[in-house]
Amino acid sequence: MNIGSLLTSSAASHPKSPAIVHGSLTMDYEQFNARVNRLSNALRRLGARPGDNVAILMVNCPQMLEAMFAVFKAGCGAVPINFRLHPSEFAFIIDDSEASVLITTEDFDQPIREVRADLPRVRHVITTGSAAGDVQNYDDVLDGESEQFVDVEVAPDDVAWLFYTSGTTGVPKGAMLSHRNLLGMTDRFYADIFPNFGDHEVVLHAAPLSHGSGLYGVPNVGGAAAHVFPGSTSFDPAWVLETIESQCVTNLFAAPAMIKRLVDCPAIDHADVSSLKAFVWGGAPMMVEDLQQALARFPNLVQIYGLGETPMTITSLSQRDHVLDGNATQTKRLASAGTRRTNVEVEVVDGDDNFQPVGETGEVVTRSDVMTQGYWRDAEATALALQNGWLHTGDLGYFDEDGYLFLMDRSKDMIISGGENIYPREIEEVLARHPAVREVAVIGVPDEQWGEAIKAVVSLVAGQDATEEGLIAYCKSNIASFKKPRSVDFVAEIPKNNYGKIMKRELREPYWKNHERSI
Ligand code: AMP
């Protein structure tokens, strides 16, 4: 089944249900589907054939959801691109995907002009801005097109979404997500994440549509939910809180960094967020201290853990497990990434791919029908990631006796100091409990004696003070001495990418400049 048919069905079953809410604009499912069909027809007219890719470089807006579903319905592969990338980065992705059509918002008209020469394969640019030269206006393109479209029949393994990895470890690669993958993701959303999904759900797209929010836009379309879009491109916690209340938002996806900003926002004291039924978080770890603060504010948190290569996701920590004042076992589980998702195999292996017993740390591997078949035009990266039929995540962790997965770190972030494996997460959890610490990232830096030395990079809570010696002593009184940082850097803000992931590579880079180690 074509994943785009979810929209066709919702328009048939819920034609008058609200589909889009954006400022004063509202659109029901019949209207939304009609516009999507017109765009699918236009794509066909412009020469996009089933199997071709269509690049989508847009800020979160209704047209982006339209574009994604129009591309699905046309049997093409959607390539949603992180709108915060540098022009040279998005140009790389557009060119790498071999897209012949690029759909964009007016925000990118000028940057696209600047990189146009690097995009020889793009034959048509469609923008929500003004037409100019070979650039056509989005609404003009829809004009005159039929509202009828028969969704293109696809094979289950045809590419529906080319998901470019966020590149925290190097050049972005396009994980091919098939119609089967996205349908599997949709079923599991209703099974594990939002089991009481009803007829009048409302999803808020506060996080980028090119990542988790867009992926979970798919089951929300399938369930005929209303999609609420922000009016600005920056994450505005006060607006999000106000919108949850005014639009009775029932579900949303957010990265831990966003949740922290919501919790820290003064408006939280009088916000009514009781409409939320599934507040999904993931994409990066959340310190237990931060999770407890979030739990005191938000009902119905659900954690998901996985990768772009395994939409949306391989384990989850259920609402049931998000307990604020629980017993010791429940509190311990708050530090975990939860249990295996429905019909998803997850194991921990050693360097030779042998399954590890309970309690043993190794690399997390997974296998299921929500797993990518590989990377676009990159057989080498595919072979590396998919050894022995299992996707190797690059994350280290262990299962406890109850099947809860405890993630340590990405293998590249692990520190080896004096022959000891040290997991930054453990030290970060300790420092996050210090009252003056707002955010923390622990990295390994070169050290002549130990190979690597532990460094904590810390941002402080406004108005609070802490010293390097004080924080080191704090660690020493909470964990084994060999795990305490040797040094602490204080920064105003810890660098994160647009998906809220701390850029450890970027933090490490200056220290490793003249050393032989891949960072
Ligand atoms: P991406 O493919 O950009 O979504 O990045 C996937 C990576 O993000 C994973 O391999 C993990 O390292 C990290 N990640 C995602 N979700 C979580 C989570 N719930 N807890 C800890 N790390 C996570």
Side-chain angles (χ1 to χ4, degrees):
M1 185 180 121
N2 185 321
I3 192 74
S5 301
L6 292 181
L7 171 57
T8 314
S9 310
S10 288
S13 59
H14 296 74
K16 300 301 170 204
S17 292
I20 303 290
V21 180
H22 187 216
S24 57
L25 170 89
T26 56
M27 218 187 282
D28 64 29
Y29 264 88
E30 192 170 61
Q31 294 166 318
F32 177 48
N33 187 44
R35 280 177 62 87
V36 168
N37 284 350
R38 285 160 67 195
L39 184 56
S40 298
N41 281 313
L43 288 172
R44 186 175 281 174
R45 173 172 54 78
L46 294 174
R49 298 278 156 258
D52 290 351
N53 290 327
V54 174
I56 303 174
L57 175 62
M58 303 176 99
V59 299
N60 276 16
C61 62
Q63 290 93 332
M64 180 156 178
L65 198 64
E66 286 175 1
M68 280 159 40
F69 273 84
V71 173
F72 297 154
K73 282 180 171 229
C76 299
V79 190
I81 301 170
N82 177 347
F83 66 80
R84 286 209 203 283
L85 291 182
H86 185 271
S88 65
E89 295 169 316
F90 64 65
F92 171 85
I93 292 175
I94 296 167
D95 189 54
D96 187 67
S97 72
E98 300 173 11
S100 61
V101 179
L102 165 64
I103 308 176
T104 181
T105 43
E106 59 189 319
D107 321 64
F108 300 102
D109 289 353
Q110 180 54 31
I112 289 290
R113 270 194 288 278
E114 283 162 22
V115 296
R116 192 67 180 90
D118 302 330
L119 306 173
R121 298 187 244 234
V122 172
R123 291 197 308 275
H124 303 279
V125 180
I126 304 170
T127 174
T128 57
S130 310
D134 67 347
V135 177
Q136 306 176 63
N137 167 265
Y138 187 93
D139 284 318
D140 290 353
V141 166
L142 261 58
D143 251 1
E145 293 293 349
S146 164
E147 294 184 354
Q148 307 302 320
F149 186 83
V150 178
D151 303 341
V152 168
E153 198 138 320
V154 294
D157 288 335
D158 285 352
V159 175
W161 182 315
L162 204 51
F163 184 103
Y164 273 84
T165 56
S166 47
T168 44
T169 50
V171 182
K173 301 184 290 282
M176 296 184 285
L177 305 183
S178 65
H179 291 265
R180 185 204 305 274
N181 294 155
L182 297 188
L183 281 169
M185 170 192 79
T186 300
D187 292 343
R188 285 169 182 80
F189 176 78
Y190 306 134
D192 309 331
I193 304 299
F194 196 168
N196 54 342
F197 195 99
D199 246 358
H200 302 286
E201 305 303 348
V202 180
V203 59
L204 173 61
H205 292 296
L209 280 174
S210 54
H211 197 254
S213 204
L215 285 164
Y216 272 171
V218 173
N220 273 287
V221 166
H227 296 251
V228 182
F229 294 87
S232 92
T233 55
S234 55
F235 181 81
D236 177 350
W239 181 87
V240 170
L241 292 170
E242 187 190 304
T243 304
I244 291 173
E245 182 172 344
S246 64
Q247 299 293 337
C248 295
V249 170
T250 63
N251 76 112
L252 79 156
F253 169 80
M258 294 172 175
I259 297 187
K260 195 165 173 60
R261 291 185 61 197
L262 291 174
V263 170
D264 290 345
C265 177
I268 189 86
D269 286 335
H270 49 84
D272 178 357
V273 294
S274 57
S275 58
L276 287 173
K277 295 198 225 162
F279 188 168
V280 187
W281 70 269
M286 181 154 29
M287 300 296 110
V288 172
E289 176 71 20
D290 293 334
L291 182 54
Q292 284 169 328
Q293 287 182 20
L295 266 170
R297 297 296 191 168
F298 293 104
N300 306 323
L301 288 167
V302 191
Q303 181 196 176
I304 54 175
Y305 155 67
L307 300 79
E309 288 85 339
T310 57
M312 271 283 272
T313 53
I314 61 174
T315 66
S316 63
L317 189 72
S318 68
Q319 300 194 5
R320 229 182 17 260
D321 282 324
H322 277 82
V323 182
L324 186 54
D325 295 312
N327 58 33
T329 309
Q330 289 168 319
T331 303
K332 185 168 166 261
R333 283 180 185 163
L334 292 180
S336 81
T339 52
R340 295 171 178 88
R341 300 286 306 273
T342 301
N343 289 335
V344 175
E345 291 179 85
V346 185
E347 295 296 339
V348 165
V349 296
D350 66 11
D352 297 320
D353 267 359
N354 300 309
F355 291 162
Q356 294 298 91
V358 161
E360 284 294 321
T361 298
E363 183 174 11
V364 178
V365 297
T366 183
R367 188 167 77 164
S368 75
D369 64 1
V370 290
M371 173 179 96
T372 181
Q373 298 156 78
Y375 299 103
W376 174 253
R377 303 271 193 261
D378 197 340
E380 205 180 314
T382 301
L384 208 62
L386 289 171
Q387 286 167 41
N388 300 324
W390 291 77
L391 179 85
H392 289 59
T393 63
D395 293 316
L396 300 175
Y398 67 89
F399 276 104
D400 74 4
E401 57 285 358
D402 300 315
Y404 284 76
L405 177 66
F406 286 77
L407 291 171
M408 312 299 285
D409 280 283
R410 290 195 66 73
S411 51
K412 289 205 165 121
D413 293 337
M414 193 179 80
I415 301 169
I416 305 179
S417 188
E420 291 280 355
N421 290 354
I422 292 164
Y423 300 101
R425 170 97 185 249
E426 205 185 336
I427 306 157
E428 289 161 355
E429 288 281 8
V430 170
L431 281 169
R433 294 205 295 268
H434 190 284
V437 171
R438 185 161 67 92
E439 282 187 312
V440 52
V442 167
I443 56 169
V445 295
D447 184 274
E448 271 186 20
Q449 191 180 357
W450 303 103
E452 281 186 89
I454 305 167
K455 177 183 277 298
V457 183
V458 165
S459 71
L460 294 178
V461 175
Q464 296 265 7
D465 243 346
T467 61
E468 181 173 37
E469 303 75 50
L471 291 182
I472 294 173
Y474 183 77
C475 288
K476 210 175 152 193
S477 57
N478 282 284
I479 36 171
S481 181
F482 74 92
K483 295 181 191 167
K484 70 178 187 300
R486 303 240 149 211
S487 60
V488 180
D489 282 0
F490 292 94
V491 295
E493 208 53 62
I494 295 190
K496 293 187 208 76
N497 72 8
N498 186 37
Y499 297 142
K501 287 181 211 296
I502 290 180
M503 306 291 283
K504 288 208 170 169
R505 191 185 153 85
E506 207 168 280
L507 283 175
R508 276 193 297 263
E509 212 154 38
Y511 297 98
W512 289 95
K513 250 189 193 132
N514 302 315
H515 291 78
E516 280 176 23
R517 174 200 196 257
S518 87
I519 57 160

